[in-house]
Amino acid sequence: QVQLQESGPGLVKPSQTLSLTCTVSGESITDYRYYWSWIRQPPGKGLEWMGAIDYSGSIFYNPSLKSRTSISRDTSKNHLTLQLRSVTPEDTAVYYCASSSSLVTEVTSRSDFASWGQGTQVTVSS
């Protein structure tokens, strides 16, 4: 069973870079069966897919966030990383990592993904 755990600072100042890690256990992030996505949910809003990385290391981004987002992985640690640059208070959200068996680029419900991390709250404020 895949388990995911997000970690990172809960408070980031405007204009800085938000950096999060998703530690995966139970499966290898190089397993061909999985896509690994970052998703966020701002307060009072829906789930927004930010991007994903597949077993081969191919990366897919939400076009609306692509210019500020970097997704990478460390296969030796079996974890994923998310960086979001030049943050503003509008980037305040709960950030999740999640796994799926196919590439999902629009989240219609949590069931679009097989496994989710518990999420981590990130607040952008000075």
Side-chain angles (χ1 to χ4, degrees):
Q1 182 179 356
V2 178
Q3 294 184 320
L4 306 102
Q5 177 67 58
E6 306 89 350
S7 60
L11 180 64
V12 182
K13 295 184 184 298
S15 80
Q16 292 188 342
T17 296
L18 178 165
S19 296
L20 298 176
T21 297
C22 174
T23 300
V24 179
S25 59
E27 293 289 354
S28 169
I29 61 174
T30 61
D31 189 306
Y32 73 94
R33 294 173 293 173
Y34 297 102
Y35 290 80
W36 310 95
S37 287
W38 285 98
I39 299 156
R40 68 180 183 178
Q41 186 167 28
K45 296 184 178 181
L47 295 163
E48 179 181 33
W49 179 78
M50 302 181 69
I53 187 167
D54 74 4
Y55 68 95
S56 70
S58 295
I59 303 170
F60 311 86
Y61 292 110
N62 184 326
S64 69
L65 295 169
K66 184 176 182 179
S67 64
R68 297 195 293 132
T69 307
S70 294
I71 293 173
S72 61
R73 67 179 185 174
D74 185 329
T75 57
S76 68
K77 296 180 180 178
N78 213 45
H79 75 208
L80 320 165
T81 60
L82 170 74
Q83 290 191 323
L84 183 65
R85 295 176 290 277
S86 303
V87 297
T88 72
E90 286 67 42
D91 294 310
T92 294
V94 178
Y95 286 76
Y96 299 93
C97 54
S99 68
S100 59
S101 59
S102 61
L103 181 62
V104 178
T105 61
E106 185 174 354
V107 186
T108 57
S109 78
R110 290 182 67 94
S111 63
D112 291 342
F113 295 86
S115 298
W116 290 76
Q118 66 181 24
T120 187
Q121 173 70 47
V122 177
T123 300
V124 179
S125 175
S126 56

